[in-house]
Amino acid sequence: DQQVKQNSPSLSVQEGRISILNCDYTNSMFDYFLWYKKYPAEGPTFLISISSIKDKNEDGRFTVFLNKSAKHLSLHIVPSQPGDSAVYFCAASAGGSNYKLTFGKGTLLTVNP
Amino acid sequence: GAGVSQTPSNKVTEKGKYVELRCDPISGHTALYWYRQSLGQGPEFLIYFQGTGAADDSGLPNDRFFAVRPEGSVSTLKIQRTERGDSAVYLCASSFGQNTGELFFGEGSRLTVL
């Protein structure tokens, strides 16, 4: 069973607009959440994280929102740029074991010029 | 380069054969991880090393899979009696031992079992 779900396989956005990528989780033990970005033929790269004690974390154009009651998190990219086109993976961990990440299937973001 | 290096980048083998995949972590990183990404899926945890020892091998799917890191740097993932279902991209990652979840991944080794 998928404990981390990214229900949108793909998303297309115009350059300069906001990209919103969504992620749901089922395991209530998850207390740390991360987003990774992956370009073709490269390994995933860490983007941003959030602890369950927070509901928002911001880093430049990237903001992650966490809604614990809904078991939902989202990644906002504003403004979107063509170089943001990649697969975005949501990941989660539990109990301080932040090496043991459970990943979603990913969402392919395409930012059109 | 300064990143995680994995060899081979591609490996094609026949069912039943033995395979070794190598990972050179970033210099100074004490923690090393192996993940596996099957087609259409996200990466899946296999094993975590802190130094030379396997701190958590709970993700290894069965006893055909084994990994070592004898000197606390380079690691080798070994797969015996390969099966078609083992076909995947095997990702290695490393980090400083802070357990932040910020892993530095290599490009992966794509294994195809015919």
Side-chain angles (χ1 to χ4, degrees):
Chain A
D1 63 330
Q2 280 276 313
Q3 297 186 64
V4 176
K5 300 177 184 178
Q6 294 179 256
N7 292 320
S8 296
S10 64
L11 174 68
S12 185
V13 169
Q14 207 62 29
E15 181 178 5
R17 306 295 290 267
I18 184 171
S19 295
I20 300 177
L21 297 106
N22 293 303
C23 177
D24 297 290
Y25 61 96
T26 58
N27 188 340
S28 57
M29 300 300 292
F30 286 148
D31 56 11
Y32 193 65
F33 304 90
L34 309 93
W35 286 92
Y36 275 78
K37 178 168 76 171
K38 185 182 182 303
Y39 293 117
E42 294 185 11
T45 56
F46 170 79
L47 192 56
I48 193 169
S49 62
I50 187 167
S51 165
S52 61
I53 62 173
K54 295 186 173 182
D55 55 18
K56 176 183 174 180
N57 189 25
E58 190 172 351
D59 183 2
R61 296 185 297 114
F62 303 90
T63 304
V64 56
F65 295 92
L66 175 62
N67 182 334
K68 288 189 293 295
S69 60
K71 292 191 176 68
H72 177 83
L73 64 156
S74 60
L75 175 68
H76 292 211
I77 307 173
V78 184
S80 302
Q81 299 173 353
D84 296 329
S85 298
V87 176
Y88 288 79
F89 290 100
C90 173
S93 65
S97 298
N98 296 333
Y99 59 86
K100 192 172 183 178
L101 303 179
T102 300
F103 283 84
K105 292 186 179 184
T107 296
L108 173 63
L109 172 67
T110 303
V111 180
N112 301 302
Chain B
V4 175
S5 176
Q6 292 189 245
T7 54
S9 55
N10 271 289
K11 175 71 177 178
V12 180
T13 190
E14 293 179 343
K15 180 175 178 293
K17 298 290 189 182
Y18 170 80
V19 166
E20 288 190 353
L21 306 174
R22 176 189 166 105
C23 173
D24 271 285
I26 293 171
S27 178
H29 280 188
T30 58
L32 184 144
Y33 320 80
W34 284 98
Y35 279 73
R36 174 171 74 173
Q37 185 174 12
S38 301
L39 193 62
Q41 305 294 318
E44 174 190 20
F45 171 78
L46 295 178
I47 187 169
Y48 156 55
F49 286 91
Q50 185 59 256
T52 60
D56 186 341
D57 65 357
S58 61
L60 294 177
N62 52 60
D63 61 6
R64 295 187 297 104
F65 288 75
F66 189 70
V68 296
R69 194 186 185 200
E71 297 178 355
S73 179
V74 171
S75 175
T76 304
L77 179 65
K78 307 180 181 196
I79 310 173
Q80 297 178 326
R81 306 183 303 280
T82 51
E83 299 177 357
R84 292 194 180 88
D86 299 335
S87 296
V89 176
Y90 288 81
L91 293 163
C92 178
S94 68
S95 72
F96 295 108
Q98 293 102 331
N99 203 20
T100 63
E102 183 175 349
L103 311 184
F104 295 81
F105 283 91
E107 295 179 357
S109 291
R110 180 177 297 278
L111 174 66
T112 303
V113 182
L114 302 176

